[in-house]
Amino acid sequence: MPRRPLTAALAFALGLGLGAAPALAAGPQLKGQAPGWYRLQLGDFEITALSDGTLDLAVDKLLQQPVPNTLRALQHAYLGLPLETSVNAYLINTGAKIVLVDTGAAGLFGPTAGRVLANLKASGYAPEQVDEVVITHMHGDHIGGAAAFPNAMLRLDKRDADFWLAPEKVAKSDGAKSTAAIVKAFADTGRFKPFDGSADGVEIVPGVKAFPAYGHTPGHSNYVAESKGQKMMFWGDLMHVAAVQFKEPAVTIQFDTDPKAAAPAREKAYAAAAQGGYYVAVAHVSFPGIGRLRADGKGYDWLPVNYSANR
């Protein structure tokens, strides 16, 4: 093309605004995440994982005997310290009853947690719909949000209630006072129904049972949902640090009331889950905290649930 027509064409294009666009200032970074819920089917049951948020834990100081090389294990998993740790709860809709496994921390652990109620609403449920609140154990990040469910029955192992609600313990701790107040509100309205744990399981509603997993606390319980041959076990605080405790199941944590009982309870649950091939839902594994285990030597591989559009 001759030089003059090319120059004229370029000038015409620039005149139409087809040249370089003016630079625009970047918008502010917004932070945050999408509403924290994840849903899957378990036979005829619908399971909804609910994020309560996260807590930063100095797990290098919290993990105990046998002392693991925590930093090395975290680095191997591309993680660091403090470890940002998920707090998860789970909603089971059997078609006849709605059962909430743990309730999150509400306001007990600061602004990064306490989101179960908001995420439950975002997932399409209302707190008034919950029939049963089942508590794995009475630490604040599991029972702290229970007061938000006005029509629910509160269920937990009597051993945990007797231990944490003992007058001498309540007198010594603001956290215990808060927990006692939550339980009292249920008891005053006839909605507190502790159970005696049994190796055969205690039925909460048809298809949902409680099983003892004592050690982390005196009445720490796992819950199991089963429908049409499919099974999911809800572990509570059976374990805390996936990067360490799946490979080294014997490792305990300072939060354990009885480490000598907590470690065998964890090892038993790991072995059963790997052998049975069923789902487990874990309070402190990265959200949604649902997956399966496969034995690998003396430890286990964690296989997170495959994402599904849940059509």
Side-chain angles (χ1 to χ4, degrees):
M1 182 180 290
R3 181 179 181 85
R4 183 180 296 275
L6 178 63
T7 302
L10 179 60
F12 179 71
L14 291 172
L16 291 177
L18 302 181
L24 298 176
Q29 295 181 356
L30 301 180
K31 307 298 183 182
Q33 295 289 5
W37 61 272
Y38 178 79
R39 187 166 287 151
L40 74 163
Q41 290 298 126
L42 186 79
D44 285 335
F45 292 179
E46 180 183 81
I47 310 296
T48 304
L50 299 169
S51 173
D52 195 52
T54 63
L55 298 173
D56 287 343
L57 297 180
V59 296
D60 54 325
K61 297 179 175 63
L62 293 171
L63 293 176
Q64 296 183 315
Q65 300 296 330
V67 178
N69 190 332
T70 302
L71 182 58
R72 186 172 183 177
L74 293 177
Q75 289 173 337
H76 184 71
Y78 295 102
L79 298 170
L81 291 167
L83 179 63
E84 188 175 5
T85 303
S86 290
V87 180
N88 307 321
Y90 299 93
L91 196 72
I92 307 166
N93 185 339
T94 72
K97 294 289 185 179
I98 296 178
V99 180
L100 179 62
V101 183
D102 289 338
T103 66
L108 297 179
F109 284 76
T112 63
R115 301 175 185 178
V116 159
L117 183 59
N119 286 322
L120 180 139
K121 292 176 180 177
S123 78
Y125 286 97
E128 293 81 7
Q129 292 178 273
V130 176
D131 299 295
E132 306 277 344
V133 167
V134 297
I135 301 298
T136 57
H137 64 293
M138 294 179 69
H139 284 164
D141 54 328
H142 297 261
I143 196 172
F149 303 95
N151 300 320
M153 188 72 70
L154 181 65
R155 308 299 306 278
L156 53 90
D157 194 296
K158 187 175 184 295
R159 290 169 180 79
D160 236 45
D162 290 346
F163 180 79
W164 294 107
L165 299 178
E168 62 273 16
K169 187 169 289 293
V170 172
K172 292 179 181 178
S173 166
D174 288 341
K177 287 184 178 70
S178 297
T179 299
I182 291 170
V183 174
K184 184 177 185 301
F186 279 89
D188 287 348
T189 53
R191 296 183 296 122
F192 179 48
K193 189 178 179 183
F195 53 80
D196 287 315
S198 167
D200 296 325
V202 175
E203 185 176 74
I204 304 300
V205 300
V208 180
K209 290 185 175 182
F211 289 86
Y214 305 150
H216 178 64
T217 65
H220 184 275
S221 300
N222 294 331
Y223 293 90
V224 173
E226 292 189 83
S227 174
K228 286 194 169 179
Q230 297 186 38
K231 177 177 177 178
M232 181 180 293
M233 180 169 276
F234 303 84
W235 274 358
D237 276 9
L238 198 72
M239 54 83 60
H240 292 77
V241 187
V244 175
Q245 289 175 295
F246 280 130
K247 295 300 182 184
E248 299 184 66
V251 173
T252 61
I253 195 165
Q254 282 185 23
F255 303 140
D256 292 335
T257 302
D258 183 355
K260 291 182 179 179
R266 176 168 47 258
E267 292 167 351
K268 179 181 177 181
Y270 281 6
Q275 183 176 3
Y278 52 77
Y279 280 121
V280 294
V282 194
H284 297 303
V285 167
S286 294
F287 184 77
I290 297 173
R292 291 183 168 100
L293 269 68
R294 178 181 292 130
D296 180 17
K298 294 181 179 180
Y300 294 83
D301 291 327
W302 170 249
L303 307 173
V305 63
N306 185 57
Y307 180 82
S308 170
N310 195 32
R311 295 184 292 272

